[in-house]
Amino acid sequence: MKRFFKTNLVLLLVIAVGFVAAFVSIGNRMAVEAKDKTYDIVIDMDELRKMAAQSDHDEYWWLNEWKQYGINKVGVWETSIKRIVEEWPDYVRIVSARELSAEKPVTWYLDLPKSMWPALSGPETVHPDEYDFLIVTDYYEVYEAIRRGFTMRYPGALTASEWVEGGPGYLYFDGTAETALYSPNDRITEYDSKTFTTRREVVGSIYEYLNLGFRAAEGETVRRCEELGYEIVPRTVAYKNYNGDAFAFDVFKEYSAAFRRDPAYLIVGGPVYGLEGENDASFNYLKSHATSLCLIEASDQLGNMKADGLFALSERFGDRAVRTYSVWDYIQYRYAYFGYDGPQEIQNTLYRAVTERNIRMIYYKPMKQTDESYLYITDPDDYAMVWNDLEARLAAHGYKLGTAAPAEELATPLVLRILTGFGAVAAAILLLKTLFTIPKKAEYVLLAIGIVGVVGCFFVAPNASNVLAGFANGVIWPCLAAALYFCFGRKAYDDPAVPGPTVTIRRGVALLAVCTILAVLGGLTAAAPFGSNAALVEQVNFRGIKFSQIIPMLYAFVLFVAWFGFRKDKEKIGRLEVKDVTHAIFLDIKVWMLLIVAVIGAAAAIYIIRTGHTSNLNTNTLEVELRNKLEELLPARPRTKEFLIAFPCLLLFVYACERKYKFFIFLFGFASVIGFASVSNTFMHLRTPVCFSLERLTSVPIGIVLGIFCVACFHLLCLLWKRLAEPKEKAAE
């Protein structure tokens, strides 16, 4: 050990400097995360109405019921012509202009109020086409909501309007081909086998969907929700070509006029409001109001939902936004799922969203029957279970229900990121020395070139340098852990004394602890350059997750070749020689070897494919149930591959080395590195709080317990094999 420190003193000092810089960066991040412990729940009013319609109570009864659990916000969508017609089909109707002009092709407009005639008798409107339509309503409130909305937000879209005293009201829209909505293409085949495409039919107008504010029925919704003590989270949708300054100004004016207090959150629907204007309306509104911008997590849990201008707007606020989880439809159906008899799996999903993925606002939609029959769960006790148990589980991690806010400003200084890069360079040289003999001068030259390169890269391409430095640290340290246990294993292999299983277990546990520390250091130094608000809300992702798993596995194979080789005549132990490669190429391969390699390869492929969220391989139900149970019993669910495979295999690796079982040395040594790559990989999930990642290391004690059991079983099997083999050996003699 003294010799190791003496010969690598300079490298170790540079690595220590990198560690200090990484610890400062991670410490700053943990301080920010410790204060960011408030989460919120917003109920979607549209979905709640649908659920209430299937229950014995209306939506306001449910809101009042849920208020006792601390929920006090509801998402209300702006009204539109489409929503108005759906709510009052008997009192509001859309009439095709062609239908109006069917009997009077030229003088059709004379049946409408006289004040509308000038606008409808011009050369462009006197002959209605399929794009034009008329709205007739007996409700002045509806008439005024549509008239005001189009006048204030979409100048020129409403051609003419008039309210006749006592009703009805008329609103005429002179549409164009650009405003029309069309049916999909229909294809027909004639008797002579010639195929023709039918002309697409006009089935509506974009005008029907344009948001008009919180008037008419939605105005009543706002009033009743606020009377119950709920805050309104507005759901406004902007559409391309109808998203100028007039639209944005009136949207924000409506928020001030319609609600008792400023909205807590701005959940952008479609493009950022006012994106086609020149006055930066959304930015100015957020800057001058106590409203937080929301970023909605994508349905595959990778990054956030894209919307025109949204990410640029978030970046202008330093990505200090509230990360939001929308309960997607496939989650709504997870009632009585994965072996549960109630809403537990939905609750698990919400729990993981907050604790693992830094979600701070849950946009909630009621649960549905698992058979996808569109039947909602309407038992109040099921929802009480979700709210009560979720609050209790999150409280154990220090979270509380309330109005969420963006995390405090977080930015890792450039000098700390550069120093972390220096540590990666030194660690890389140290890793090379585990396989090759490098002269001192060459070592210092490599170190100098690496340091200069790191400084240059961070100044020229800082973002790419963050990725490179993080990836390097995340890969190098699990590889160093593997080098450590292969070095230890070779010493045990060369020792003629064979200790008992108790000594083996004690050595294996100590080795596991040291290797885990190295892997944790790798994870922390990998995450350190990404200390920013962008990382917390997953606007920045760690790239190369799968490669960070593959490289340590390949390196473990190389280490086996360097430390043990394929033949007994290996000369330079711990050094990779050309002869080792030729031995591997010309190895006398048996069929059983091919079978084992095929099994290992298939297992490794499945493992790599399942890494991350992009896999098409589904986790089996039994494994999910095991994960859920561990999640309930422990502060954080440990990673299955660590405690079930890798860590027990390290204890078995030590056992195999002490007893010279070369095949099992390879097998268990290869499997063990998976655990240390996984530990390092845990910290590469940048959105996950650091403390939660550390809590997942409960995999170590569980792995030790399982490892002790595996060593005992393997020891008994070896004794049994020897006993069965002895008679055959004597007979052969």
Side-chain angles (χ1 to χ4, degrees), residues 334 337-338 340 342-349 352 624 628:
R334 289 191 172 179
Y337 203 70
F338 284 141
Y340 291 116
Q344 292 92 333
E345 180 56 24
I346 293 175
Q347 180 204 111
N348 288 339
T349 301
R352 295 183 200 114
V624 171
N628 288 341

Side-chain angles (χ1 to χ4, degrees), residues 682-709:
T682 297
F683 296 90
M684 297 178 192
H685 293 82
L686 304 178
R687 64 196 179 186
T688 305
V690 176
C691 282
F692 190 83
S693 295
L694 291 170
E695 288 175 345
R696 300 191 80 166
L697 292 175
T698 49
S699 59
V700 176
I702 298 174
I704 289 173
V705 172
L706 291 176
I708 293 172
F709 175 76

Side-chain angles (χ1 to χ4, degrees), residues 123 134 146 189 401 424 440 604:
L134 177 74
I146 298 174
T189 304
L401 182 62
K440 274 294 176 189

Side-chain angles (χ1 to χ4, degrees), residues 277-326:
E278 300 177 354
N279 290 291
D280 218 357
S282 291
F283 176 79
N284 292 329
Y285 178 82
L286 289 169
K287 192 175 180 180
S288 59
H289 291 75
T291 302
S292 300
L293 180 66
C294 292
L295 296 173
I296 301 177
E297 183 184 58
S299 59
D300 61 0
Q301 299 179 10
L302 287 174
N304 302 302
M305 296 286 290
K306 295 180 180 179
D308 290 345
L310 177 59
F311 291 173
L313 178 62
S314 176
E315 188 175 353
R316 293 177 68 183
F317 287 98
D319 285 312
R320 295 189 61 212
V322 173
R323 195 151 194 258
T324 300
Y325 178 70
S326 177

